[in-house]
């Protein structure tokens, strides 16, 4: 394994930076499976995880001339992967098909005992983020996201305007995102973002 020897890794990265395809293949073979596993854990999708691995190594190759051989290849590849997945989730807000795919994967996913424990922790973070909202905003948010009521239905039940409902939900989402940004790491943030907003 190349990551057991910093000198070997440095030599391989220097070769990649010069356009050596064989050196690139060594890096690819070393890290493709762990990056796939990491991506799958966050998306619960074979297709999206495979796509993430392809995108990550494409970017790695495209940016090879800027590689710093003194830095950890593994850390660099994980950073590219996290950024790719975060962008994927952000884009899902505007892509109905992608949003449904991610939501379906999470709802229908089969979790190991370890995953179930992590999932419970994530639910706790999500609940705390929602509980952190002012009471009326929290009520409106729960009616929208948990009960699935439309803005019109919420406005009618609470005797307020639809504009007020929309405004409160926008503010709630902003507050929750900020809470998650402060209290969780990026991987947890991605999962919670997906659970709360889709």
């Amino acid at each position: 394994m190349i990551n057991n020897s910093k000198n070997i890794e440095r030599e391989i990265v220097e070769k990649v930076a010069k356009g050596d395809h064989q050196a690139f293949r060594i890096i690819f073979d070393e890290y493709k499976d762990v990056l796939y596993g990491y991506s799958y854990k966050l998306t619960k999708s074979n297709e999206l995880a495979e796509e993430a691995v392809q995108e990550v190594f494409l970017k790695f190759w495209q940016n090879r001339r800027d590689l710093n051989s003194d830095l950890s290849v593994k850390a660099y590849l994980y950073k590219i992967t996290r950024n790719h997945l975060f962008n994927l989730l952000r884009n899902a807000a505007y892509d109905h098909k992608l949003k449904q795919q991610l939501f379906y994967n999470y709802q229908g996913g089969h979790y190991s005992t370890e995953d179930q424990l992590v999932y419970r922790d994530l639910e706790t973070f999500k609940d705390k983020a929602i509980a952190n909202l002012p009471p009326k905003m929290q009520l409106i948010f729960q009616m929208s996201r948990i009960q699935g009521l439309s803005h019109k239905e919420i406005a009618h039940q609470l005797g307020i305007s639809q504009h007020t409902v929309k405004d409160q939900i926008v503010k709630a989402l902003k507050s929750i995102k900020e809470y998650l940004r402060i209290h969780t790491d990026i991987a947890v943030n991605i999962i919670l973002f997906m659970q709360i907003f889709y």
Side-chain angles (χ1 to χ4, degrees):
M1 300 211 17
I2 64 172
N3 57 2
N4 288 339
S5 171
K6 189 62 184 168
N7 289 334
I8 293 174
E9 182 178 276
R10 184 181 292 115
E11 288 174 16
I12 293 172
V13 171
E14 286 172 356
K15 288 180 180 178
V16 172
K18 293 175 183 175
D20 187 318
H21 289 85
Q22 188 175 357
F24 173 79
R25 185 72 200 193
I26 292 170
I27 298 283
F28 178 81
D29 288 340
E30 179 76 11
Y31 294 108
K32 64 181 171 62
D33 291 336
V34 292
L35 294 179
Y36 172 85
Y38 177 71
S39 301
Y40 182 81
K41 205 165 185 67
L42 293 181
T43 63
K44 300 295 180 191
S45 165
N46 289 319
E47 182 184 343
L48 293 175
E50 287 172 5
E51 180 187 309
V53 172
Q54 290 172 8
E55 286 294 319
V56 166
F57 281 105
L58 177 63
K59 286 179 184 173
F60 181 73
W61 179 254
Q62 288 173 336
N63 298 323
R64 64 189 180 278
R65 291 180 186 84
D66 300 323
L67 290 174
N68 182 344
S69 59
D70 291 324
L71 298 179
S72 164
V73 172
K74 185 175 183 180
Y76 179 67
L77 291 171
Y78 267 98
K79 181 180 177 182
I80 298 174
T81 307
R82 284 195 303 268
N83 289 341
H84 172 77
L85 294 172
F86 188 72
N87 288 334
L88 177 74
L89 294 170
R90 191 165 50 201
N91 292 338
Y94 306 100
D95 184 331
H96 182 71
K97 185 177 177 183
L98 179 57
K99 186 193 303 185
Q100 292 289 26
Q101 183 180 357
L102 288 167
F103 182 75
Y104 174 80
N105 289 339
Y106 261 85
Q107 293 294 79
H110 297 287
Y111 298 97
S112 66
T113 303
E114 180 186 348
D115 283 345
Q116 288 173 9
L117 292 173
V118 171
Y119 187 81
R120 272 202 292 265
D121 288 343
L122 297 177
E123 284 293 310
T124 301
F125 270 114
K126 183 174 77 170
D127 292 343
K128 284 181 179 177
I130 295 171
N132 199 46
L133 300 172
K136 187 161 188 179
M137 186 183 293
Q138 186 181 143
L139 174 63
I140 292 170
F141 182 80
Q142 288 175 330
M143 290 174 80
S144 170
R145 290 301 191 267
I146 297 172
Q147 296 176 31
L149 300 179
S150 68
H151 290 186
K152 185 177 181 179
E153 289 169 326
I154 297 169
H156 178 72
Q157 285 191 28
L158 299 181
I160 57 178
S161 72
Q162 290 184 53
H163 174 76
T164 300
V165 172
K166 182 179 178 181
D167 181 62
Q168 288 291 292
I169 291 172
V170 168
K171 288 178 179 175
L173 292 173
K174 185 176 179 183
S175 175
I176 292 169
K177 280 193 274 190
E178 182 62 17
Y179 180 91
L180 297 179
R181 187 187 66 77
I182 293 169
H183 292 90
T184 66
D185 66 28
I186 190 163
V188 173
N189 198 310
I190 287 171
I191 296 169
L192 288 170
F193 182 89
M194 190 156 49
Q195 289 177 337
I196 291 171
F197 303 110
Y198 308 122

